[in-house]
Amino acid sequence: MGKLKKGRKNQKARLNPLGKNPNTDNKTDKRDENTRQSKILPLINKLKSTVPNDKSMALGAITVLCEDARMRTLLLKEKLITIIMEQCLNDSNDEIIVESFGLLRNLGIEEGYDVLKFCWRSNIWTAIEASINKIQTSYKFLIENGQTSNSKNDKSKVQLLYDFTENILSLIVVLASGSNDLYESIYSKIDPVLKFVTDLLTYEISSNGGYRISTKLFNALLEFIYEFSTESEDFIKKLNLDFAFNFGNLIEYVNSKPSHFNNLTKIYVEGIKFNNLEILDHGNNKYQVSNEILTNIYDLIITTDLEELKTKLNTVKNPDNTNQPIQKDAQTLEQDLSKDQDIALQSKLELTTLEVALDLITSILEYLSINETNIEEPISLPPTTLDVLLNKIFPSLVELNKFELYNGAILSLGEKILVALNNFTWLLISNESIPVEWYEKCLQLWDLIIKSTNTEDIVLQKNCLNVLWAITKTLGPEVSQKVQPQMVDELIAKCEIIIKKEDTIEDAELELYLSIVGFLGNIGLVIGDTAITSKISEFLVTSIELFYKSNNSSSSPLTTEIILECLNLIYELFGDKDFDYDYEIFVQQNYLQKLSEIEPKIKEVYKKIDKNKSPQLKLKAEETWTNLGRFIQYKQSERA
C-alpha cells in the first residue's frame, strides 16, 4: 500500500488508451522490409528535406504512424529521434519545431525510459531552454501589445504559441517521470522553467482584460505544477517560499469562472490543493480539507458518462484502420486517422480527468491512514470522513471497476482502480474500529475482485490479491465461506512456476509472489480447515528455504521481503497453542526443528542487507530475526 512515486507515469503507464493497438500479426520479416522501403524510408528522407512543406507533411504522417506499435518500432530503427533532434528542432519554421517536440513527447510516453534517457543524453534540455526563452519573448510581446488583431493569421500564430508552450511543458513532465535520475537531473535545472510557468499563471489570474490563454494551455500549466508538487516536497516549498506563488488566488480564480474551465482544470486544482495540505499544513484541518477534496473529486467523477465515453473510444480506435495501417499512403492515413480528432481530444480529456482523480484518491487514502501524533496507534476517522469514504468514494471505485471488467478494460484504468481499492481496504483496517456497514460491502467487493483476477496481467493479479488480503483481515473466519480449496492450490502452483525461473524471475513476478504469500498466510489463520492451513504453512516454510538459496548481493530486495513476510505469517499462524490446528501441524510436523534450522539463515539474510541502501528493510529484517529466536523459545515453553 502506498502513494505512487516517481516513474508512475512512465513505462507505458501514462494513460494513452487512444493509442492504436499493436499489430500482433507480424507474419514475416519480408513484410516489415516492404513497409520500410515503401513507407518508412520515404518519410524519413522527407524529414531531412529542406522544403518546409515536405518536412511538415512527413512529421504529421510520422506522428500518426507512431500511434501503431509496429510502425513505431520500424521508425525508431531508422534513428528517428536523432533525425528529429538534428534536423527538426533547429528548423527556422516554428510549426516544425512545435510538431517535433510533440512527437518526442509522444514517443517518450509510449516507449518509456530508453527513449527518454536517449533524449536526455542527446542534450534535449539545451533545445528546451532555447525554446522557452523564445516563448517568453513572444508572451512578453503579447502582454505588452495585447491581442489587438482578430485576423486569421494572427490567431493562428497565437494558437501555435500555445501549442508550443504545451508541448514543451508536457515533454518536461514526461522526461521527469522516466526515472529517479532523470527527475533529479531536471529538478536541478527547473527554476527558469518554474519562473516562466508561475509568471504566466500569475499574469493570467491577475489580468482583468479577459482570457489571455486557452483552457488547454491553462491545464498544461496546472499539470506541470501538479506533477512536480506530487513528486517533491521541496518543489512545493520552493513554490511557496522562493517564488511566493499564491495558491489561494489560483483556486479562487478557477472557482470564479466555472463555465470557462473543464473538469480536468478542476481536478488539477484539487490535486495541487491536496499536495499543499499534505506538506505545508502539518496535519491541521486534515479531515476537513480531505473531505472537501474527496467530495469535489466524487462530484467530478460522476459527471462522466462512461457509456458515452466508451462509444467515443470505440470510434477513435477504429480497429479497421489499425489492423492494416500500411495499405494506404501516409498522407491519406493521416487524414483518415485524424478525422475524429475532436472526439479523440474530448475522450483524452475525460480519461485524463479520471486518471488524475484515481491517483489523487489513492494518495489521500494513504494520507488518511497515517497517525501523525503516534505512528504506533490506530487512526480515528471522523464520522463525516467515513460517510464520504463509504457512500461516495467506495461506490465510485466499484462502479469504475465493474465498467472496466465488463467492457474489456476499455479505459485502461484497471491498475489505478485496484490500487485505490487496495488503499481503501487497508485504510479501514487501520481505523480503531471498523464500521459495521463495511463488513457487508467487503463481501460484495470480494465477489467483484475474484472476477477481476481472471486476467493474464500479473500486475492486476497482484493488486487483486492485495485487496483480497485486506478483506480477509477484515472479515476473519467469515471469509472462509468464500474460499475454495482449489483457489489455494492454484495460487501455490503459480508460485511454483515463478520460483522455477530462478535467475530470470522479474520483479513484477516477485511482487505477485509476495501478495500470494500475504493472502494465503491470512487465509490459513481463518479458514477453519486444518488440511488447508497445513498446506499453506508448508508453502511458507518452503518459500523461505527456496528464496534463501537464491538470496545474494545481486538479488532483488523483494526476495528478502518474501522471506520476512513468510516468517512473520508463521508467527501469526502458530502464535497460540489453543488454535485448533496448532498441535496437529506445529507439533506433529516438527516445526520447532524447521524454525531452528532456519534461524541462522535468517541471520545471514539480515547481515547481507546494506542499511544505507535499504534502511527500512534492514530494520524489518532485524526485528524479524530477533522475533524468530523469541518465538522458538516461546513455543518450546508453551507445552512444557
Side-chain angles (χ1 to χ4, degrees), residues 137-391:
T137 302
S138 299
Y139 279 110
K140 183 179 179 182
F141 177 84
L142 280 179
I143 291 169
E144 291 176 352
N145 296 279
Q147 292 167 247
T148 55
S149 174
N150 290 319
S151 71
K152 184 176 180 180
N153 186 47
D154 284 346
K155 284 184 176 180
S156 177
K157 288 181 179 178
V158 170
Q159 185 57 53
L160 184 65
L161 176 62
Y162 291 168
D163 292 342
F164 201 169
T165 310
E166 182 189 350
N167 286 355
I168 288 285
L169 293 179
S170 56
L171 174 59
I172 293 172
V173 169
V174 173
L175 281 166
S177 72
S179 65
N180 286 346
D181 61 328
L182 279 172
Y183 178 89
E184 297 301 337
S185 297
I186 289 173
Y187 187 76
S188 68
K189 303 173 183 291
I190 204 69
D191 282 13
V193 185
L194 185 53
K195 185 178 188 312
F196 166 64
V197 170
T198 53
D199 283 351
L200 196 53
L201 274 173
T202 300
Y203 178 77
E204 169 73 12
I205 292 168
S206 60
S207 173
N208 295 318
Y211 302 115
R212 299 283 179 174
I213 60 177
S214 65
T215 300
K216 193 165 179 279
L217 176 55
F218 192 81
N219 286 348
L221 298 170
L222 293 184
E223 180 193 21
F224 180 88
I225 290 181
Y226 165 72
E227 291 292 347
F228 276 94
S229 64
T230 297
E231 301 295 346
S232 170
E233 295 182 14
D234 290 340
F235 181 85
I236 296 173
K237 293 172 183 175
K238 182 193 292 283
L239 271 173
N240 281 270
L241 299 176
D242 298 348
F243 289 84
F245 184 73
N246 194 316
F247 289 99
N249 287 349
L250 171 65
I251 295 168
E252 183 181 344
Y253 177 72
V254 172
N255 290 340
S256 69
K257 305 183 184 300
S259 61
H260 179 65
F261 297 114
N262 51 42
N263 283 352
L264 184 58
T265 317
K266 296 166 187 173
I267 205 72
Y268 279 140
V269 167
E270 296 302 323
I272 293 168
K273 187 192 302 181
F274 169 69
N275 290 339
N276 276 269
L277 167 71
E278 189 177 22
I279 303 305
L280 301 177
D281 280 16
H282 309 293
N284 298 324
N285 304 313
K286 174 176 182 173
Y287 295 113
Q288 179 184 342
V289 180
S290 294
N291 292 351
E292 176 188 315
I293 295 173
L294 287 172
T295 299
N296 290 341
I297 293 172
Y298 168 78
D299 290 340
L300 292 171
I301 288 176
I302 61 173
T303 62
T304 302
D305 186 327
L306 296 178
E307 288 295 336
E308 183 181 335
L309 179 55
K310 180 176 75 171
T311 301
K312 292 175 186 172
L313 289 172
N314 283 328
T315 299
V316 174
K317 287 188 174 184
N318 196 348
D320 290 337
N321 277 333
T322 58
N323 284 339
Q324 294 180 317
I326 63 168
Q327 293 186 352
K328 300 178 180 180
D329 66 65
Q331 197 161 8
T332 306
L333 175 64
E334 181 185 6
Q335 293 170 355
D336 286 351
L337 295 181
S338 301
K339 64 185 178 182
D340 295 312
Q341 187 178 24
D342 289 343
I343 297 175
L345 289 173
Q346 182 59 35
S347 301
K348 188 166 189 270
L349 185 74
E350 293 179 33
L351 284 164
T352 305
T353 302
L354 290 174
E355 180 193 22
V356 177
L358 288 166
D359 281 343
L360 260 179
I361 289 170
T362 299
S363 295
I364 294 171
L365 293 172
E366 184 191 10
Y367 173 63
L368 291 174
S369 71
I370 299 169
N371 187 336
E372 287 92 349
T373 57
N374 187 344
I375 198 169
E376 301 297 327
E377 294 293 322
I379 58 170
S380 180
L381 296 172
T384 51
T385 302
L386 285 170
D387 179 62
V388 172
L389 290 173
L390 291 171
N391 297 314

Side-chain angles (χ1 to χ4, degrees), residues 392-411:
K392 291 186 176 179
I393 298 304
F394 179 69
S396 300
L397 295 176
V398 167
E399 286 307 309
L400 283 170
N401 195 69
K402 285 181 179 177
F403 190 82
E404 284 284 69
L405 183 61
Y406 298 122
N407 289 282
I410 192 169
L411 304 179

Side-chain angles (χ1 to χ4, degrees), residues 359-472:
D359 281 343
L360 260 179
I361 289 170
T362 299
S363 295
I364 294 171
L365 293 172
E366 184 191 10
Y367 173 63
L368 291 174
S369 71
I370 299 169
N371 187 336
E372 287 92 349
T373 57
N374 187 344
I375 198 169
E376 301 297 327
E377 294 293 322
I379 58 170
S380 180
L381 296 172
T384 51
T385 302
L386 285 170
D387 179 62
V388 172
L389 290 173
L390 291 171
N391 297 314
K392 291 186 176 179
I393 298 304
F394 179 69
S396 300
L397 295 176
V398 167
E399 286 307 309
L400 283 170
N401 195 69
K402 285 181 179 177
F403 190 82
E404 284 284 69
L405 183 61
Y406 298 122
N407 289 282
I410 192 169
L411 304 179
S412 301
L413 290 172
E415 182 181 352
K416 289 184 180 295
I417 296 165
L418 288 167
V419 171
L421 282 169
N422 175 61
N423 276 19
F424 192 101
T425 51
W426 287 96
L427 169 63
L428 290 190
I429 291 174
S430 303
N431 199 38
E432 60 182 356
S433 61
I434 299 175
V436 174
E437 60 184 297
W438 177 235
Y439 289 99
E440 184 62 32
K441 292 181 186 294
C442 269
L443 290 169
Q444 297 168 4
L445 180 59
W446 177 283
D447 295 335
L448 178 62
I449 298 300
I450 288 293
K451 292 176 183 175
S452 299
T453 60
N454 187 24
T455 173
E456 296 299 315
D457 188 325
I458 61 174
V459 174
L460 294 183
Q461 291 176 21
K462 174 201 73 174
N463 290 324
C464 286
L465 283 164
N466 287 341
V467 176
L468 295 176
W469 180 352
I471 294 174
T472 300

